[in-house]
Amino acid sequence: MMQIDINHLNQYYGKKQVLYDINLSISTGMFGLLGRNGAGKTTLMKTLVTLLPTNEGEIRMNGIDIHDQKKIRSIIGFLPQEFSMYGNMTAYQALDYLAVLSELDKRTRRTRINALLDQVNLTIHKNVKVKAMSGGMKRRLGIAQALLNDPKILVVDEPTAGLDPEERLRFRNLLAEVSENKIVLLSTHIAGDIEATAENVAILEQGRIIFSDSIEQLLLNAQGKIFSVQVPRTELSTAKKQVQIISLQQEGSTSHLRFIGNPQAQIMQHPLVIEERPTLEDAYLYLLSMKGGD
Ligand SMILES: Nc1ncnc2c1ncn2[C@@H]1O[C@H](COP(=O)(O)OP(=O)(O)OP(=O)(O)O)[C@@H](O)[C@H]1O
C-alpha cells in the first residue's frame, strides 16, 4: 500500500503565497487534482517531486520525509507539463540515454526499455526520432521515461494538453493501467481527464483545497442541481442573466441550454426544464459556483 500524506503545506514564491494549508492523504490508485489554470497545481506537483523546497508543513511518502530528497526521488517518476526530450534521438535511444544516467546496467536497460515501449504502445515506433513524433506519442514516451526506475508514485502534470480526443483516450487508459499497483497523481483542468479513471479527487482553487473526496461524492453533491431546457434563441439573453450556463448549443432558432439550477430563477418554471444527471464537469462547475468562483 502506497501512501502520500501532506499536512499543513504552505508554499510561496518570494513573499507571494500560492498554496494555503494543504492537507491531503493519497493512497494507491489514480488520484485526480483538478483546478483552473493558476490554481497552484504545478506548484503542488513540483513540491511533491522535490523540484521546489517545502516552505512550511510536512510531506511524507510511505513514511519517508520529503526532505530526504534522494530516497523520495528514488520512488517517484515525474512527467512535467512542459516535457521535451532529445529530439534527434530515436525513442529507444532517448530512453536508453536516461537509463544510463540512472545507472542501470546494460541488460536491465534493454529488457526494461523494451517492456516499457510495449506498455506505452511505441514498440513499432522505437526507431522514430522524437522530433518526428505526434503529441500523443511524445506524451506516451514521457510516461515511459517517468516509469524507467519503476517508481511507486507517478506524478503527471496536465498530461493531455494538446492531444486530440483519440490520443487523449489512449493516454487515460494507459495511466489507468499503470495505476493498478502505484499511486498515479494526475493534475488537470479538464474534468473529463479523470472522470472515468480516478476514484478520488481533490479540487484546488486559488491555492486552497476546496474539495477532497471520492468522485462519486462530488457527483452526489451536484445531484438535483443540473438542468437543461430548450428556449427560443430570442430568450437566451434573459436566461443567461438568471442562471449559470454550463453549455449551449444552437439549432436554428432554438437554443439548448445546460445550466446550474437556481430555485429563484424564473426559467426554472419553464415547462420544458429537465433535471439532468450530473457529469464530473457539471459537478466541478457546480462546486466552483458554490464557492463564489466563476
Ligand atoms: N516561479 C514563479 N514565481 C512567481 N509566481 C509563480 C511562479 N510560478 C507560478 N507562479 C504563480 O503561482 C500561482 C500558481 O501557479 P501554478 O503554475 O502552480 O498553477 P497551475 O494550477 O499549475 O496552473 P497552470 O496549469 O496554468 O500551470 C499562479 O498565480 C502563478 O502565477
Side-chain angles (χ1 to χ4, degrees):
M1 189 75 175
M2 303 308 150
Q3 181 74 23
I4 303 178
D5 290 299
I6 306 173
N7 287 307
H8 302 298
L9 173 70
N10 291 304
Q11 287 293 71
Y12 304 79
Y13 290 109
K15 282 187 180 149
K16 182 179 166 194
Q17 185 164 4
V18 293
L19 291 180
Y20 297 83
D21 196 29
I22 306 293
N23 295 286
L24 280 178
S25 268
I26 300 168
S27 46
T28 309
M30 174 111 89
F31 187 95
L33 180 69
L34 193 56
R36 299 186 242 223
N37 290 337
K41 303 181 298 295
T42 299
T43 304
L44 182 54
M45 302 281 117
K46 284 191 176 164
T47 306
L48 292 176
V49 303
T50 74
L51 289 176
L52 285 174
T54 303
N55 298 141
E56 287 167 14
E58 192 191 55
I59 303 176
R60 289 185 170 274
M61 299 191 189
N62 291 350
I64 307 166
D65 188 284
I66 192 93
H67 294 101
D68 198 343
Q69 204 180 78
K70 205 167 170 211
K71 267 199 193 154
I72 292 284
R73 287 189 177 182
S74 75
I75 60 167
I76 279 198
F78 181 42
L79 176 58
Q81 202 169 349
E82 305 291 336
F83 172 73
S84 59
M85 259 212 294
Y86 320 100
N88 273 318
M89 292 186 188
T90 66
Y92 189 95
Q93 286 168 340
L95 290 177
D96 196 46
Y97 179 68
L98 290 166
V100 169
L101 294 182
S102 293
E103 297 177 357
L104 299 180
D105 67 65
K106 200 169 177 185
R107 182 183 292 183
T108 313
R109 292 201 314 262
R110 194 185 312 142
T111 33
R112 194 168 296 172
I113 291 172
N114 282 324
L116 283 170
L117 285 168
D118 204 36
Q119 189 173 13
V120 301
N121 245 309
L122 285 178
T123 300
I124 58 163
H125 305 295
K126 72 180 189 182
N127 295 320
V128 173
K129 284 192 175 173
V130 175
K131 65 180 178 194
M133 291 182 156
S134 72
M137 284 161 71
K138 278 188 198 151
R139 298 307 279 174
R140 282 185 276 134
L141 183 59
I143 286 294
Q145 161 276 136
L147 291 174
L148 257 181
N149 288 314
D150 194 21
K152 295 180 165 55
I153 297 170
L154 177 66
V155 178
V156 283
D157 197 4
E158 299 270 359
T160 64
L163 300 192
D164 65 36
E166 197 184 329
E167 286 177 325
R168 182 165 281 176
L169 187 69
R170 194 166 181 174
F171 196 81
R172 276 182 213 162
N173 291 340
L174 169 64
L175 288 179
E177 199 183 299
V178 166
S179 72
E180 216 168 293
N181 52 2
K182 300 181 193 308
I183 290 179
V184 174
L185 185 55
L186 190 163
S187 111
T188 180
H189 64 276
I190 303 161
D193 274 353
I194 54 171
E195 178 148 37
T197 39
E199 192 181 337
N200 294 303
V201 60
I203 295 176
L204 198 59
E205 170 74 353
Q206 293 180 2
R208 291 180 170 84
I209 300 284
I210 59 167
F211 178 89
S212 177
D213 205 324
S214 64
I215 285 187
E216 197 185 347
Q217 188 58 50
L218 184 62
L219 292 170
L220 270 176
N221 292 351
Q223 194 106 52
K225 313 288 183 191
I226 310 297
F227 299 85
S228 70
V229 70
Q230 292 183 31
V231 294
R233 201 190 268 248
T234 47
E235 288 175 25
L236 181 60
S237 60
T238 324
K240 273 185 174 170
K241 284 182 201 132
Q242 297 176 24
V243 287
Q244 187 182 331
I245 311 281
I246 292 173
S247 66
L248 172 63
Q249 267 178 302
Q250 303 284 18
E251 207 180 296
S253 59
T254 307
S255 302
H256 298 256
L257 308 179
R258 188 178 182 92
F259 62 94
I260 297 174
N262 169 4
Q264 273 96 51
Q266 209 187 346
I267 196 167
M268 299 296 288
Q269 310 305 325
H270 195 292
L272 294 180
V273 165
I274 300 168
E275 186 185 322
E276 297 282 350
R277 192 192 166 116
T279 64
L280 187 59
E281 174 82 14
D282 296 332
Y284 173 46
L285 293 173
Y286 172 70
L287 185 86
L288 290 180
S289 76
M290 286 292 99
K291 300 284 170 182
D294 192 292

